[in-house]
Amino acid sequence: MGLMRHVVATRSFLFRQAEMSRPLSLGIRNMSLIRNKAFINGAWKSAASGEEFAVINPADGNVIGNVPNMNEADTHEAIVAASNSFQQWQDTTAKERSHYLKKWFDLLEKNKEELSEIITAESGKPLKEAAGEVAYGNSFIEWFAEEARRVHGEVIASPVKSKEMIFIKRPIGVTALITPWNFPIAMITRKAGAALAAGCTCVVKPAEDTPLTALALAALAQDSGIPAGVFNVVTSARENAPQVGKSLCESPLVAGISFTGSTDVGKLLYKMCSKGVKRLSLELGGNAPFIVFKSADVGKAVQGAIASKFRNCGQTCVSANRFFVQDEVFDEFVAKFKEEMKSQLILGMGSDGVSTLGPLINDAQVHKVDNIVQDAVKKGARVLVGGKTASSIGDRFFEPTLIVDVDPRMLCYNEEIFGPIAVLIKFKTEEEALRLANNTKRGLAGYFYSNDIAQIWRVAKKLEVGMAGINEGIISTAEAAFGGIKESGLGREGSHYGMEEYTYIKYLCFGNL
Ligand code: ADP
């Protein structure tokens, strides 16, 4: 019934749009949060050049809307606005900032259905997953509204009688937040929530695939009364991203950058930030191992594996990328995994309310995933489920795929796949599993299933990752410290550590007492 209502509503919406002759895509019933301008200094702005770019629904290729294609000059305007507003924002009390964030959170919660529909329309993820992301994304604003009031200094025992010494925490200043498309709301809120709570102002540069969610966030920030210039959003097409990024990294008015995205772009930003010795927080690519030891509850391991691998169609940096399964339970794991894939995964339009797997984000991603599968097959791997694009549904849909007989010569063994491809590898001993799991430059998340408590401790300590799921496939929450080691990044987001990226310690020494 629910589904039918939705389909009818979608059709009548489309019909209305057709009458208005504006090319808007299916699924967004309430347009009140759709903005087609960037948000700078509390005002909705076009690019100075007048240029725009189209936002595409990856499920059907339709244009959802157009937003400004901003450049270096527009970015500078946003930085200046954030810098000016920082002068007042840093002087607000923690309690005042907490109130602003709570109001923003209330509005985000009130508008969660609208936000979910925007996310589904521009990222393709199923509505249920989009709703899950909105709840998760909103929770960062709530969490940091609370954390704002718990940034404390320290009083130090002075070594001499004539002096007293304290440490206070200060906001670093203007922050630039550059975010990816795979979590259009959560990747912004977990940065901006912490930044604003700490007393920083920000310029957000959302991914070119998903700017509408960022602008909806800005609309609600405006409605919540957050002062002009505190939260700015600069939109740009991919071809302008390098100049926008360069302005953000090299402007003397920007104190720090927080970036989530690919390792290659992260390294580029790291280099640019070195010129001004900027604060830098990086959440880059992962290559998560998922190890199933012979003592594990195989049924639970399969459930965790499906959840970790296929969430957001595998387009998650903490997605299980390589499954290592011990000899003794390999066949059982493969059989159950295959069964669960068939019963749980429904590929289709994210807006239909039934599908559990949507499209990949864009053509480049489809090409990459297809190439990874073909390379494996050419080199001798066996495809047990799926293995090709599902063109009967749409060009960007890829069948959930299961591959075995994999070896280190294959791309799927080494690359972050970022698609619905599960790669299963057999191992014999714990040492071998750890060696294989750690044999990567990445170190974001890792998962393992075991019921041997001594082994759990050993592996938890030896796995080279920033986050480990132990008999658990879903680990993200606002309370957790999210982040990686090795080439997966610097710094932590969420938890109370998330605030530290946006504050610095100032030592005050009182003399001649
Ligand atoms: P993906 O490959 O998943 O799109 P990217 O790292 O390319 O990941 O993109 C993440 C974010 O980084 C997006 O907002 C994108 O526009 C931005 N970006 C891409 N190239 C640059 C660049 N040279 N400088 C700054 N930002 C960039």
Side-chain angles (χ1 to χ4, degrees):
M1 237 355 249
L3 171 66
M4 281 182 63
R5 267 203 307 276
H6 178 68
V7 172
V8 170
T10 301
R11 292 224 174 98
S12 61
F13 163 76
L14 261 184
F15 182 62
R16 271 204 310 280
Q17 290 311 319
E19 279 179 330
M20 288 158 61
S21 75
R22 272 177 64 202
L24 289 161
S25 195
L26 48 141
I28 306 173
R29 285 169 296 180
N30 180 344
M31 301 295 286
S32 63
L33 290 179
I34 295 288
R35 298 288 182 279
N36 59 1
K37 299 268 198 298
F39 188 64
I40 297 177
N41 207 19
W44 297 96
K45 303 276 262 187
S46 303
S49 67
E51 273 182 42
E52 291 187 336
F53 67 100
V55 184
I56 308 291
N57 183 332
D60 54 19
N62 284 343
V63 173
I64 308 168
N66 293 293
V67 297
N69 182 16
M70 295 195 138
N71 62 17
E72 197 179 341
D74 301 301
T75 308
H76 180 66
E77 190 187 331
I79 294 171
V80 169
S83 177
N84 291 339
S85 67
F86 176 65
Q87 303 314 319
Q88 290 85 47
W89 186 249
Q90 65 172 325
D91 289 336
T92 52
T93 64
K95 193 170 173 176
E96 284 168 333
R97 293 195 295 277
S98 176
H99 275 297
Y100 281 116
L101 288 171
K102 276 184 195 152
K103 269 198 212 157
W104 195 14
F105 170 71
D106 289 342
L107 289 179
L108 289 166
E109 282 290 293
K110 226 188 232 167
N111 288 276
K112 57 190 179 194
E113 277 178 26
E114 288 80 353
L115 290 165
S116 307
E117 289 184 352
I118 296 172
I119 290 175
T120 291
E122 64 180 357
S123 80
K125 71 174 68 173
L127 264 177
K128 199 167 158 225
E129 267 197 43
E133 190 201 332
V134 171
Y136 173 59
N138 293 358
S139 77
F140 285 102
I141 301 298
E142 181 185 41
W143 171 258
F144 285 115
E146 293 156 357
E147 284 302 293
R149 298 177 68 182
R150 288 187 254 289
V151 177
H152 306 302
E154 281 176 70
V155 181
I156 304 304
S158 170
V160 288
K161 278 190 178 157
S162 60
K163 290 181 181 172
E164 289 293 349
M165 301 168 174
I166 59 175
F167 301 156
I168 59 170
K169 296 235 178 110
R170 298 294 302 151
I172 61 172
V174 176
T175 58
L177 316 178
I178 304 177
T179 57
W181 47 263
N182 59 347
F183 289 91
I185 189 168
M187 295 303 100
I188 297 177
T189 53
R190 79 176 180 190
K191 296 180 192 305
L196 266 53
C200 297
T201 56
C202 64
V203 178
V204 179
K205 206 302 272 170
E208 50 280 355
D209 307 276
T210 57
L212 296 173
T213 306
L215 297 173
L217 265 175
L220 294 173
Q222 186 180 33
D223 289 351
S224 68
I226 291 174
V230 170
F231 181 84
N232 306 278
V233 179
V234 169
T235 52
S236 86
R238 186 70 180 198
E239 73 264 16
N240 278 10
Q243 59 172 299
V244 170
K246 189 168 186 288
S247 324
L248 293 169
C249 291
E250 296 187 356
S251 167
L253 296 177
V254 174
I257 307 282
S258 179
F259 170 77
T260 298
S262 64
T263 306
D264 286 348
V265 173
K267 287 181 179 176
L268 203 75
L269 302 182
Y270 203 163
K271 209 181 267 176
M272 288 195 284
C273 283
S274 73
K275 289 189 190 162
V277 198
K278 297 253 195 295
R279 233 354 147 75
L280 189 62
S281 162
L282 298 173
E283 302 288 358
L284 308 179
N287 185 4
F290 189 112
I291 310 171
V292 184
F293 290 104
K294 64 183 178 196
S295 68
D297 178 325
V298 174
K300 286 186 182 149
V302 167
Q303 293 304 330
I306 297 272
S308 169
K309 177 72 248 180
F310 296 105
R311 190 162 68 109
N312 204 14
C313 206
Q315 303 172 112
T316 304
C317 47
V318 293
S319 230
N321 206 48
R322 300 165 294 155
F323 291 91
F324 300 106
V325 186
Q326 201 154 13
D327 226 352
E328 292 85 341
V329 290
F330 189 83
D331 291 342
E332 182 189 353
F333 185 87
V334 172
K336 288 191 168 147
F337 195 90
K338 236 167 98 175
E339 225 170 83
E340 289 302 314
M341 277 180 79
K342 289 195 171 142
S343 72
Q344 287 190 34
L345 306 178
I346 306 167
L347 191 62
M349 295 289 170
S351 54
D352 64 15
V354 196
S355 303
T356 56
L357 226 60
L360 294 170
I361 187 73
N362 52 37
D363 295 337
Q365 202 56 33
V366 176
H367 181 72
K368 185 189 155 193
V369 168
D370 192 41
N371 187 39
I372 286 176
V373 174
Q374 285 186 27
D375 167 82
V377 171
K378 230 182 279 161
K379 292 174 182 163
R382 265 189 312 136
V383 174
L384 299 187
V385 183
K388 57 183 192 316
T389 51
S391 37
S392 60
I393 308 176
D395 293 345
R396 298 191 186 89
F397 289 83
F398 205 94
E399 295 173 350
T401 298
L402 176 60
I403 305 183
V404 293
D405 296 347
V406 166
D407 71 50
R409 296 170 303 137
M410 301 172 186
L411 289 173
C412 67
Y413 199 95
N414 303 297
E415 297 243 331
E416 184 182 26
I417 300 169
F418 241 59
I421 317 298
V423 176
L424 269 49
I425 299 155
K426 210 184 274 185
F427 72 89
K428 286 199 167 67
T429 64
E430 181 183 309
E431 294 69 37
E432 185 191 4
L434 276 169
R435 183 170 45 77
L436 294 172
N438 290 337
N439 184 21
T440 166
K441 290 179 180 168
R442 311 279 177 86
L444 193 60
Y447 308 85
F448 64 95
Y449 279 67
S450 167
N451 279 323
D452 172 344
I453 188 74
Q455 177 176 58
I456 287 177
W457 273 106
R458 277 195 307 272
V459 176
K461 286 196 248 178
K462 290 272 174 59
L463 208 54
E464 294 172 2
V465 294
M467 300 171 279
I470 301 163
N471 295 326
E472 180 57 60
I474 297 289
I475 56 176
S476 300
T477 168
E479 290 79 356
F482 189 104
I485 59 168
K486 296 160 94 175
E487 290 190 11
S488 287
L490 302 171
R492 291 294 178 267
E493 295 193 316
S495 79
H496 62 96
Y497 291 107
M499 296 289 288
E500 290 184 6
E501 307 296 321
Y502 300 94
T503 57
Y504 68 92
I505 295 167
K506 184 177 275 181
Y507 160 47
L508 305 180
C509 180
F510 297 77
N512 287 302
L513 297 173

